[in-house]
Amino acid sequence: MSKKKFVVACYDDDDQLFPAIKKCREAGYKIHDIYTPFPVHGLDHALGMRETSLHTAGFIYGITGTTTALSCMTWILTSDWPQIYDGKPHFALPAFIPITFELTVMFAAVGMVMTFMWLCKMAPGVKKHHFDLRATDDLFVMPIECTSKTNVDDLQSFLKSTGAMKVNVQEAETEWWWGRYDVDDEPHLIQDVPVDAA
Amino acid sequence: MSLFKYESEVREPLVKGNKTYHQITEDIISPIEVKPTKLWYVGFVLAICLLGFGVVSVYEEVVYGIGQWNLNKTVGWGWDITNFVWWVGIGHAGTLISAILLLFRQGWRTGVNRAAEAMTIFAVMCAGQFPIFHMGRVWMAMFVMPYPNTRGSLWPNFESPLLWDVFAISTYFTVSLLFWYSGLLPDFATVRDRAKTKLRRLLYGAAAFGWTGSTKHWQRHESLSLVLAGLSTPLVLSVHTIVSFDFATSVIPGWHTAIFPPYFVAGAVFSGFAMVQTLLLMVRHLLGLQDYITMGHIEAMNKVIVLTASIVGCAYLTELFMAWYSQNKYEGYAFFYSRVNLFSPYGWSYWGMMSCNVIVPQIFWFKKIRRNIFITFFMSILINVGMWFERFVIIVTSIYRDYLPSSWTIYYSPSIWELGFYLGTFGLFFTCFFLFAKYFPTIAVAEIKSVLKTTGDNYHEKMVPVETLEPEDFAHKYAH
């Protein structure tokens, strides 16, 4: 696991977030991510993230469901086991619609949720570093990645000037790993201790 | 003169009191962290007892066969299918509140969606059992699934509404579960991050799937919720439409009706909202969530109830009109002898249905009554009873006297085991719901936080000085 050093700024109001992001980006700092307790609209654009293509994936899964349902029923009722029910023809498209619709929805929903979990690297037992535990409660947490050129003290005072209610320095593992939240196997959290840039 | 209004006057705040983000977390999460109240234990034990009765009833039916039920020659569908349709209907408000109201950008859904979704899942679990045990030989239930088998080329009938039901109910259950759980992830993470005990951190840590609240995750999460909502919206309508096909595609007088799909969907939403009211009024009182489930929420749901009550009322009258207009004597017999005639064997159920579903809910046209908790609670129970009558009327009054008078049967009433099965599903439903209310965040914490600033009381207070400024002062103060 590779650790990186971050200066972490915590804001207690989402109104301060957008001006702070703008200032940080203008100053050339690399914002690692922003952790918020609820979805703040426009944050992804402010950070320069691209749109997610999850919905496109959902469309593809849906079409797969439609095709699966229609082709299976057509093969079964015209070739594998051709039976006449209620005088309907073997290929009775109107009678296939309900199941086709249900499978379209089922494939799209299950596929999208699994893709979401995959993209976000989420599963039972997955553990990630938390820059601040209050990020899921009431704080808006912005870790800034330090490079060899970063002056940590300058960065700390800069972040305070943007309205951060607390600023600290942490060395953290940014990837996920298998672990339990009741066991303290978290990569070391160094709070308020300046660390020399690597 | 005020400059302009930030809040429309017809809308009241969705979150009462001057809440901060942290207070919202406290209010909603702290009931999970303390011991349950005595009232909770009483309710839970009662639910477990009912569940036990249900288990014994199901055991009787499985071991001794479906003869343990009082079904007879013509009434082949009795309490079992009545209860199936009733429970599926109850399950409709959850996804409707979550999905349709999300698409319509209705902010008031945020206070009630979590509990409503939970209700959906538990109700569908209860519903699914009735057709499965109605099969009699329940160990053969897998025959309804289309899987390559060793019995030669043998497939279920894909053209049968009963098989459509299998697909509809299983899809509905799966999608509702995914929607509910994906919404729960951020809230589980909140519980995990403020947990004081190791066990809580372990369990909620596993349940939260490692959620951190990263911007990219929120972006994908919102995209996921929106598409799932878009998929669930027609799904809600399809499920009860397909359930109505179980009846409407047959040639039984009283069932063979084109109005069934919309009429069933409206009825399902009607009974679903009534059950949401019953549960939310209890949760609100027990967990002290009056600031989040406000009178505004209750009133909004009562408005949906009066709308859907009127739709089903229209459908009942249309059916009567068509029975007369078609001049079909069997249809006329089903409606004008078996139903409308109070003195026929089941006339009581028709008039019970009419009064509980159509006549009495009209009192919700009055605002004072829509905002009265006791009347709302009473009405929610009454509507659920009425909707049960509706399913009973549709099923039993249509089939107890068929085309052949020689096969007409005597009065159908349920056996103790049919009754026990029904009460058992209540036990299951409330056992699940009590566990949910104790161990899950009953209100979507993250969603409430996201609407706080635009509807909360504190937002309103902050905006009053701005709203009361004179136009010149405003221009001066806010000039860039």
Side-chain angles (χ1 to χ4, degrees):
Chain A
M1 293 202 280
S2 62
K3 286 181 195 166
K4 287 177 184 167
K5 204 172 94 174
F6 298 92
V7 175
V8 184
C10 301
Y11 300 87
D12 55 3
D13 194 344
D14 41 331
D15 289 342
Q16 293 164 334
L17 216 49
F18 289 95
I21 293 169
K22 206 175 164 192
K23 280 181 199 157
C24 285
R25 291 187 73 185
E26 276 168 359
Y29 290 118
K30 190 181 168 197
I31 299 173
H32 170 67
D33 203 339
I34 293 183
Y35 300 92
T36 57
F38 58 85
V40 179
H41 286 197
L43 204 54
D44 46 350
H45 294 297
L47 287 171
M49 286 176 179
R50 72 172 185 86
E51 285 287 339
T52 173
S53 356
L54 196 60
H55 39 262
T56 315
F59 178 74
I60 295 168
Y61 294 130
I63 291 290
T64 314
T66 317
T67 321
T68 310
L70 274 182
S71 53
C72 277
M73 282 188 287
T74 306
W75 172 72
I76 288 166
L77 288 168
T78 60
S79 149
D80 193 47
W81 205 44
Q83 291 265 316
I84 291 184
Y85 298 109
D86 302 337
K88 290 171 194 155
H90 290 145
F91 178 69
L93 190 60
F96 295 169
I97 297 298
I99 290 182
T100 307
F101 172 75
E102 299 298 331
L103 279 196
T104 305
V105 172
M106 176 85 106
F107 272 56
V110 174
M112 270 186 82
V113 170
M114 285 168 72
T115 310
F116 168 77
M117 296 293 174
W118 170 257
L119 291 174
C120 295
K121 298 192 177 70
M122 284 168 65
V126 160
K127 212 173 162 185
K128 289 171 187 170
H129 177 77
H130 290 262
F131 289 97
D132 197 297
L133 286 182
R134 278 171 66 190
T136 50
D137 180 5
D138 61 344
L139 285 192
F140 303 83
V141 180
M142 178 163 77
I144 304 233
E145 209 176 307
C146 297
T147 62
S148 53
K149 288 176 191 158
T150 311
N151 182 326
V152 175
D153 293 332
D154 279 358
L155 180 52
Q156 291 203 58
S157 50
F158 171 74
L159 287 172
K160 274 188 187 136
S161 73
T162 60
M165 52 91 72
K166 70 176 175 186
V167 179
N168 58 42
V169 182
Q170 293 179 28
E171 201 175 65
E173 166 58 50
T174 53
E175 284 301 302
W176 62 277
W177 65 96
W178 298 109
R180 282 163 46 182
Y181 276 90
D182 59 321
V183 179
D184 189 20
D185 59 354
E186 213 168 300
H188 306 290
L189 191 95
I190 308 162
Q191 291 223 334
D192 296 326
V193 179
V195 183
D196 289 334
Chain B
M1 183 197 84
S2 75
L3 183 66
F4 49 81
K5 285 277 179 197
Y6 281 85
E7 276 184 284
S8 155
E9 279 182 0
V10 292
R11 298 216 175 126
E12 50 194 298
L14 295 174
V15 183
K16 294 240 157 154
N18 279 316
K19 303 283 180 194
T20 61
Y21 295 131
H22 180 65
Q23 266 173 310
I24 295 180
T25 315
E26 278 293 328
D27 289 350
I28 299 167
I29 308 288
S30 55
I32 297 173
E33 295 167 336
V34 293
K35 281 201 169 157
T37 56
K38 275 189 186 146
L39 212 57
W40 185 90
Y41 279 113
V42 171
F44 187 66
V45 168
L46 267 175
I48 291 277
C49 292
L50 280 179
L51 180 59
F53 187 21
V55 170
V56 175
S57 307
V58 168
Y59 173 84
E60 283 287 321
E61 193 268 338
V62 171
V63 172
Y64 299 106
I66 207 163
Q68 293 295 86
W69 292 353
N70 278 353
L71 298 176
N72 56 41
K73 194 160 42 177
T74 53
V75 185
W77 285 2
W79 268 44
D80 46 1
I81 304 300
T82 301
N83 298 335
F84 160 65
V85 182
W86 186 75
W87 272 122
V88 176
I90 300 261
H92 267 61
T95 308
L96 186 105
I97 287 179
S98 297
I100 298 184
L101 299 183
L102 176 71
L103 287 186
F104 288 156
R105 304 263 184 257
Q106 290 296 306
W108 64 268
R109 62 177 280 287
T110 50
V112 293
N113 68 339
R114 175 67 47 73
E117 285 166 37
M119 178 197 80
T120 288
I121 288 156
F122 307 145
V124 175
M125 272 159 55
C126 293
Q129 294 179 40
F130 287 100
I132 289 177
F133 285 103
H134 177 89
M135 289 174 189
R137 282 183 267 178
V138 69
W139 50 94
M140 301 287 189
M142 82 277 190
F143 279 21
V144 301
M145 300 309 289
Y147 64 99
N149 54 56
T150 53
R151 299 181 295 276
S153 279
L154 181 66
W155 296 95
N157 176 6
F158 294 100
E159 294 169 12
S160 157
L162 299 181
L163 190 71
W164 301 347
D165 252 0
V166 174
F167 279 86
I169 304 290
S170 50
T171 304
Y172 188 57
F173 181 72
T174 313
V175 175
S176 304
L177 191 68
L178 292 175
F179 200 21
W180 183 58
Y181 201 84
S182 60
L184 269 166
L185 290 169
D187 293 354
F188 277 147
T190 309
V191 185
R192 173 199 69 202
D193 289 346
R194 48 178 271 137
K196 298 280 189 302
T197 66
K198 278 195 153 195
L199 182 68
R200 215 175 286 148
R201 262 203 298 279
L202 172 73
L203 295 177
Y204 288 102
F209 287 21
W211 178 270
T212 53
S214 148
T215 308
K216 193 73 195 171
H217 290 190
W218 275 125
Q219 186 204 39
R220 291 187 184 125
H221 190 266
E222 285 213 281
S223 171
L224 177 75
S225 312
L226 209 59
V227 178
L228 283 185
L231 287 168
S232 313
T233 301
L235 185 66
V236 175
L237 306 184
S238 85
V239 171
H240 232 65
T241 298
I242 290 176
V243 170
S244 85
F245 286 164
D246 290 348
F247 304 95
T249 57
S250 73
V251 288
I252 307 285
W255 288 3
H256 191 51
T257 323
I259 203 174
F260 261 26
Y263 152 37
F264 266 52
V265 170
V269 173
F270 180 50
S271 63
F273 267 88
M275 191 58 121
V276 170
Q277 291 279 35
T278 314
L279 294 174
L280 280 180
L281 289 175
M282 289 198 291
V283 165
R284 177 180 191 265
H285 180 71
L286 288 176
L287 304 180
L289 296 173
Q290 284 86 346
D291 286 341
Y292 302 96
I293 305 167
T294 62
M295 285 317 297
H297 289 89
I298 293 167
E299 191 189 358
M301 289 192 279
N302 281 337
K303 282 178 184 166
V304 178
I305 287 178
V306 73
L307 170 74
T308 44
S310 308
I311 296 176
V312 294
C314 249
Y316 297 159
L317 297 181
T318 309
E319 276 190 317
L320 287 184
F321 172 75
M322 290 313 292
W324 165 77
Y325 189 63
S326 68
Q327 287 295 302
N328 179 318
K329 61 183 173 183
Y330 300 103
E331 197 79 10
Y333 185 83
F335 278 93
F336 296 106
Y337 176 76
S338 301
R339 294 186 186 176
V340 176
N341 174 10
L342 184 60
F343 302 103
S344 69
Y346 297 104
W348 53 270
S349 62
Y350 187 82
W351 286 104
M353 163 187 109
M354 270 294 189
S355 36
C356 296
N357 292 351
V358 186
I359 302 164
V360 188
Q362 301 306 324
I363 59 170
F364 280 143
W365 285 104
F366 300 100
K367 186 166 182 165
K368 266 206 172 146
I369 290 175
R370 283 201 301 269
R371 298 177 76 88
N372 183 313
I373 290 191
F374 295 102
I375 296 181
T376 301
F377 190 72
F378 176 73
M379 284 300 297
S380 71
I381 309 265
L382 198 72
I383 289 166
N384 274 311
V385 173
M387 284 308 290
W388 189 88
F389 278 140
E390 182 199 295
R391 277 71 194 240
F392 182 83
V393 166
I394 290 172
I395 293 172
V396 176
T397 62
S398 301
I399 56 178
Y400 83 112
R401 289 184 178 173
D402 65 1
Y403 291 109
L404 202 60
S406 64
S407 33
W408 286 4
T409 45
I410 49 162
Y411 199 74
Y412 161 77
S413 57
S415 73
I416 180 82
W417 304 123
E418 275 174 287
L419 181 70
F421 189 9
Y422 183 43
L423 293 179
T425 52
F426 271 100
L428 177 70
F429 181 81
F430 281 102
T431 304
C432 292
F433 201 84
F434 276 114
L435 289 175
F436 163 77
K438 175 65 194 77
Y439 294 107
F440 287 59
T442 40
I443 287 182
V445 183
E447 290 190 32
I448 281 283
K449 284 177 189 163
S450 69
V451 298
L452 179 73
K453 282 211 166 172
T454 45
T455 70
D457 268 352
N458 49 1
Y459 172 79
H460 187 73
E461 261 175 38
K462 204 168 79 185
M463 280 306 164
V464 166
V466 181
E467 284 178 0
T468 46
L469 282 177
E470 289 299 322
E472 301 83 49
D473 297 338
F474 178 84
H476 178 68
K477 199 172 173 190
Y478 292 94
H480 288 291

Coordinates of all heavy atoms in Angstrom, one line a residue, chain B residues 185-230:
Chain B
L185 N -27.0 3.0 2.2 CA -25.5 3.0 2.3 C -24.9 4.2 3.0 O -24.2 4.0 4.0 CB -24.8 2.7 1.0 CG -25.0 1.4 0.4 CD1 -24.5 1.4 -1.1 CD2 -24.3 0.3 1.2
P186 N -25.2 5.4 2.6 CA -24.7 6.6 3.2 C -25.1 6.7 4.7 O -24.3 7.1 5.5 CB -25.2 7.8 2.4 CG -25.7 7.2 1.2 CD -26.0 5.8 1.4
D187 N -26.3 6.3 5.0 CA -26.8 6.4 6.4 C -26.2 5.4 7.3 O -25.9 5.6 8.4 CB -28.3 6.3 6.4 CG -29.0 7.5 5.7 OD1 -28.2 8.4 5.3 OD2 -30.2 7.5 5.6
F188 N -26.0 4.2 6.7 CA -25.2 3.2 7.5 C -23.9 3.7 7.9 O -23.3 3.5 8.9 CB -25.1 1.9 6.7 CG -26.3 1.0 6.8 CD1 -26.7 0.2 5.8 CD2 -27.1 0.9 8.0 CE1 -27.8 -0.7 5.9 CE2 -28.2 0.1 8.1 CZ -28.5 -0.7 7.0
A189 N -23.2 4.4 6.9 CA -21.9 4.9 7.1 C -21.9 6.0 8.2 O -21.0 6.0 9.1 CB -21.3 5.6 5.8
T190 N -23.0 6.7 8.3 CA -23.2 7.7 9.4 C -23.3 7.0 10.7 O -22.6 7.4 11.7 CB -24.4 8.6 9.1 OG1 -24.4 9.1 7.8 CG2 -24.5 9.7 10.1
V191 N -24.0 5.9 10.8 CA -24.2 5.2 12.0 C -22.8 4.6 12.4 O -22.4 4.7 13.6 CB -25.2 4.1 11.9 CG1 -25.4 3.4 13.3 CG2 -26.5 4.6 11.4
R192 N -22.1 4.1 11.4 CA -20.8 3.5 11.7 C -19.8 4.5 12.3 O -19.1 4.2 13.2 CB -20.3 2.9 10.4 CG -18.9 2.4 10.4 CD -18.3 2.3 9.0 NE -18.1 3.6 8.4 CZ -18.1 3.9 7.1 NH1 -18.2 2.9 6.2 NH2 -17.9 5.1 6.7
D193 N -19.8 5.7 11.6 CA -18.8 6.6 12.0 C -19.0 7.3 13.4 O -18.1 7.9 13.9 CB -18.7 7.7 10.9 CG -18.0 7.1 9.7 OD1 -17.4 6.0 9.8 OD2 -18.1 7.8 8.6
R194 N -20.2 7.2 13.9 CA -20.4 7.7 15.2 C -20.6 6.7 16.3 O -21.0 7.0 17.4 CB -21.6 8.8 15.2 CG -22.8 8.3 14.5 CD -23.9 9.3 14.6 NE -24.7 9.1 15.8 CZ -25.1 10.1 16.6 NH1 -24.8 11.3 16.3 NH2 -25.8 9.8 17.7
A195 N -20.4 5.4 15.9 CA -20.6 4.3 16.8 C -19.6 4.3 17.9 O -18.5 4.6 17.8 CB -20.5 3.0 16.0
K196 N -20.2 4.0 19.1 CA -19.3 4.0 20.3 C -18.9 2.6 20.7 O -17.9 2.3 21.3 CB -20.1 4.6 21.5 CG -20.5 6.0 21.4 CD -19.3 7.0 21.7 CE -19.8 8.4 21.7 NZ -20.4 8.9 20.5
T197 N -19.7 1.6 20.3 CA -19.3 0.2 20.6 C -18.7 -0.5 19.4 O -18.9 -0.2 18.3 CB -20.6 -0.6 21.0 OG1 -21.4 -0.7 19.9 CG2 -21.4 0.1 22.1
K198 N -17.9 -1.6 19.8 CA -17.2 -2.3 18.7 C -18.2 -3.1 17.8 O -18.0 -3.1 16.6 CB -16.2 -3.3 19.4 CG -14.9 -2.7 19.8 CD -13.9 -3.8 20.1 CE -12.5 -3.2 19.9 NZ -11.5 -4.2 19.8
L199 N -19.2 -3.7 18.5 CA -20.1 -4.5 17.7 C -20.8 -3.6 16.7 O -21.0 -4.0 15.5 CB -21.2 -5.1 18.7 CG -22.2 -6.0 18.0 CD1 -21.5 -7.3 17.5 CD2 -23.3 -6.4 19.0
R200 N -21.2 -2.4 17.1 CA -21.9 -1.5 16.2 C -21.0 -1.2 15.0 O -21.5 -1.1 13.8 CB -22.4 -0.3 16.9 CG -23.8 0.2 16.4 CD -24.3 1.3 17.2 NE -24.8 0.9 18.5 CZ -24.7 1.7 19.6 NH1 -24.2 2.9 19.5 NH2 -25.2 1.2 20.7
R201 N -19.8 -0.9 15.3 CA -18.8 -0.5 14.2 C -18.6 -1.7 13.3 O -18.5 -1.5 12.1 CB -17.5 -0.1 14.8 CG -17.3 1.4 14.9 CD -15.8 1.8 14.9 NE -15.2 1.3 16.1 CZ -15.2 1.8 17.3 NH1 -15.9 2.9 17.5 NH2 -14.5 1.3 18.3
L202 N -18.6 -2.9 13.8 CA -18.4 -4.1 13.0 C -19.6 -4.3 12.1 O -19.4 -4.4 10.9 CB -18.2 -5.3 13.9 CG -18.2 -6.7 13.2 CD1 -16.9 -6.9 12.4 CD2 -18.4 -7.8 14.2
L203 N -20.8 -4.3 12.7 CA -22.0 -4.6 11.9 C -22.3 -3.5 10.9 O -22.5 -3.7 9.7 CB -23.2 -4.8 12.8 CG -23.1 -6.0 13.7 CD1 -24.3 -6.1 14.6 CD2 -22.9 -7.3 12.9
Y204 N -22.3 -2.2 11.3 CA -22.7 -1.1 10.4 C -21.5 -0.9 9.4 O -21.7 -0.5 8.3 CB -23.0 0.1 11.2 CG -24.4 0.0 11.8 CD1 -24.5 -0.2 13.2 CD2 -25.5 0.1 11.1 CE1 -25.8 -0.4 13.8 CE2 -26.8 0.0 11.6 CZ -26.9 -0.3 13.0 OH -28.1 -0.4 13.6
G205 N -20.3 -1.2 9.9 CA -19.1 -1.1 9.0 C -19.3 -2.1 7.8 O -19.0 -1.7 6.7
A206 N -19.8 -3.3 8.1 CA -20.0 -4.2 7.0 C -21.2 -3.8 6.2 O -21.2 -3.9 4.9 CB -20.2 -5.6 7.6
A207 N -22.2 -3.3 6.8 CA -23.4 -2.9 6.1 C -23.2 -1.7 5.2 O -23.9 -1.5 4.2 CB -24.6 -2.6 7.0
A208 N -22.3 -0.8 5.6 CA -22.1 0.4 4.8 C -21.2 0.2 3.6 O -21.0 1.1 2.8 CB -21.5 1.5 5.7
F209 N -20.6 -1.0 3.4 CA -19.8 -1.3 2.2 C -18.7 -0.4 2.0 O -18.2 -0.2 0.9 CB -20.7 -1.3 0.9 CG -21.7 -2.4 0.8 CD1 -22.1 -3.2 1.8 CD2 -22.2 -2.7 -0.5 CE1 -23.0 -4.2 1.7 CE2 -23.1 -3.8 -0.7 CZ -23.5 -4.5 0.4
G210 N -18.2 0.3 3.0 CA -17.0 1.2 2.9 C -17.4 2.5 2.3 O -16.5 3.2 1.7
W211 N -18.6 3.0 2.5 CA -19.0 4.3 2.0 C -18.2 5.4 2.7 O -18.1 5.4 3.9 CB -20.5 4.5 2.2 CG -21.0 5.8 1.8 CD1 -21.1 7.0 2.5 CD2 -21.5 6.2 0.5 NE1 -21.6 8.0 1.8 CE2 -21.8 7.5 0.5 CE3 -21.6 5.5 -0.7 CZ2 -22.3 8.2 -0.6 CZ3 -22.2 6.1 -1.8 CH2 -22.5 7.5 -1.7
T212 N -17.7 6.4 1.9 CA -17.0 7.5 2.5 C -17.7 8.9 2.3 O -17.4 9.8 3.0 CB -15.6 7.6 2.0 OG1 -15.7 7.7 0.5 CG2 -14.7 6.5 2.4
G213 N -18.5 9.0 1.3 CA -19.1 10.3 1.0 C -18.3 11.1 -0.1 O -18.4 12.3 -0.2
S214 N -17.5 10.4 -0.8 CA -16.7 11.0 -1.8 C -17.6 11.6 -2.9 O -18.7 11.1 -3.2 CB -15.8 10.0 -2.5 OG -15.5 10.2 -3.8
T215 N -17.1 12.7 -3.5 CA -17.9 13.4 -4.5 C -18.3 12.5 -5.7 O -19.4 12.5 -6.2 CB -17.2 14.7 -5.0 OG1 -16.8 15.4 -3.9 CG2 -18.1 15.5 -5.8
K216 N -17.3 11.8 -6.1 CA -17.5 10.9 -7.3 C -18.6 9.8 -6.9 O -19.4 9.5 -7.7 CB -16.2 10.2 -7.7 CG -16.2 9.5 -9.0 CD -16.3 10.6 -10.2 CE -16.7 9.9 -11.5 NZ -16.9 10.9 -12.5
H217 N -18.5 9.4 -5.7 CA -19.5 8.4 -5.3 C -20.9 9.0 -5.2 O -21.9 8.3 -5.6 CB -19.1 7.8 -3.9 CG -17.9 6.9 -3.9 ND1 -17.5 6.1 -2.9 CD2 -17.0 6.7 -4.9 CE1 -16.4 5.5 -3.2 NE2 -16.1 5.8 -4.4
W218 N -21.0 10.2 -4.7 CA -22.3 10.8 -4.6 C -22.8 11.1 -6.0 O -24.0 10.9 -6.3 CB -22.2 12.2 -3.9 CG -22.3 12.1 -2.4 CD1 -21.4 12.6 -1.5 CD2 -23.4 11.5 -1.7 NE1 -21.8 12.4 -0.3 CE2 -23.0 11.7 -0.3 CE3 -24.6 10.9 -2.0 CZ2 -23.9 11.3 0.7 CZ3 -25.4 10.5 -0.9 CH2 -25.0 10.7 0.4
Q219 N -21.9 11.4 -7.0 CA -22.4 11.7 -8.3 C -22.9 10.4 -8.9 O -24.0 10.5 -9.5 CB -21.2 12.2 -9.1 CG -21.5 12.6 -10.5 CD -20.3 12.6 -11.5 OE1 -19.5 11.6 -11.4 NE2 -20.2 13.5 -12.3
R220 N -22.2 9.3 -8.8 CA -22.7 8.1 -9.3 C -24.0 7.6 -8.6 O -24.9 7.1 -9.2 CB -21.7 7.0 -9.2 CG -20.5 7.2 -10.1 CD -19.5 6.0 -10.0 NE -18.3 6.3 -10.7 CZ -17.1 6.2 -10.3 NH1 -16.9 5.9 -9.0 NH2 -16.1 6.4 -11.0
H221 N -24.0 7.9 -7.3 CA -25.2 7.5 -6.5 C -26.4 8.2 -6.9 O -27.5 7.6 -7.0 CB -24.9 7.8 -5.0 CG -25.8 7.2 -4.0 ND1 -26.9 7.9 -3.6 CD2 -25.9 6.0 -3.4 CE1 -27.6 7.1 -2.7 NE2 -27.0 6.0 -2.6
E222 N -26.3 9.4 -7.2 CA -27.4 10.2 -7.7 C -27.9 9.7 -9.0 O -29.1 9.7 -9.3 CB -27.1 11.7 -7.7 CG -27.1 12.2 -6.3 CD -27.5 13.7 -6.3 OE1 -26.7 14.5 -6.6 OE2 -28.7 13.9 -6.0
S223 N -26.9 9.4 -9.9 CA -27.3 8.9 -11.2 C -28.0 7.6 -11.1 O -29.0 7.4 -11.7 CB -26.0 8.8 -12.0 OG -26.2 8.1 -13.2
L224 N -27.5 6.8 -10.2 CA -28.1 5.5 -10.0 C -29.5 5.6 -9.5 O -30.5 5.0 -10.0 CB -27.3 4.7 -9.0 CG -27.8 3.3 -8.5 CD1 -27.6 2.3 -9.6 CD2 -27.1 2.8 -7.3
S225 N -29.7 6.5 -8.4 CA -31.0 6.7 -7.9 C -32.0 7.2 -8.9 O -33.2 6.7 -9.0 CB -31.0 7.7 -6.7 OG -30.0 7.4 -5.9
L226 N -31.5 8.1 -9.7 CA -32.4 8.7 -10.7 C -32.9 7.6 -11.8 O -34.0 7.5 -12.1 CB -31.8 9.9 -11.4 CG -32.7 11.0 -11.9 CD1 -33.5 11.5 -10.7 CD2 -31.9 12.1 -12.5
V227 N -31.9 6.8 -12.2 CA -32.3 5.8 -13.2 C -33.1 4.7 -12.6 O -34.1 4.3 -13.2 CB -31.0 5.2 -13.9 CG1 -31.4 4.2 -14.9 CG2 -30.2 6.3 -14.6
L228 N -32.8 4.3 -11.4 CA -33.6 3.3 -10.7 C -35.0 3.9 -10.5 O -36.0 3.1 -10.7 CB -33.0 2.9 -9.4 CG -31.9 2.0 -9.4 CD1 -31.5 1.6 -8.0 CD2 -32.1 0.7 -10.2
A229 N -35.2 5.2 -10.2 CA -36.5 5.8 -10.1 C -37.2 5.7 -11.4 O -38.4 5.4 -11.5 CB -36.4 7.2 -9.6
G230 N -36.5 6.0 -12.5 CA -37.1 6.0 -13.8 C -37.5 4.6 -14.2 O -38.5 4.5 -14.9

